């Protein structure tokens, strides 16, 4: 039973880590889209 409890605890921890990683990726992508939309990176200057 303890092994099953540890497995479920690790599974929950993994789900939380995936959730936080996805949130951070979406936040970073959103900031990147704002910077790109405002031409703040200077990569489109002609």
């Amino acid at each position: 039973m303890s092994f099953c409890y540890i497995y479920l605890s690790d599974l929950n921890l993994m789900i939380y880590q995936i959730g936080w990683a996805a949130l951070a990726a979406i936040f970073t992508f959103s900031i990147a889209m704002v910077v790109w939309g405002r031409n703040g990176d200077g990569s489109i200057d002609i």
Side-chain angles (χ1 to χ4, degrees), residues 5-22:
Y5 176 75
I6 292 171
Y7 174 74
L8 289 176
S9 177
D10 290 343
L11 184 63
N12 288 337
L13 184 62
M14 184 179 70
I15 289 171
Y16 286 137
Q17 287 177 345
I18 291 171
W20 278 114

Side-chain angles (χ1 to χ4, degrees), residues 27-43:
F27 180 77
T28 304
F29 186 73
S30 174
I31 296 295
M33 289 297 101
V34 170
V35 171
W36 188 33
R38 292 168 58 101
N39 292 332
D41 58 350
S43 64

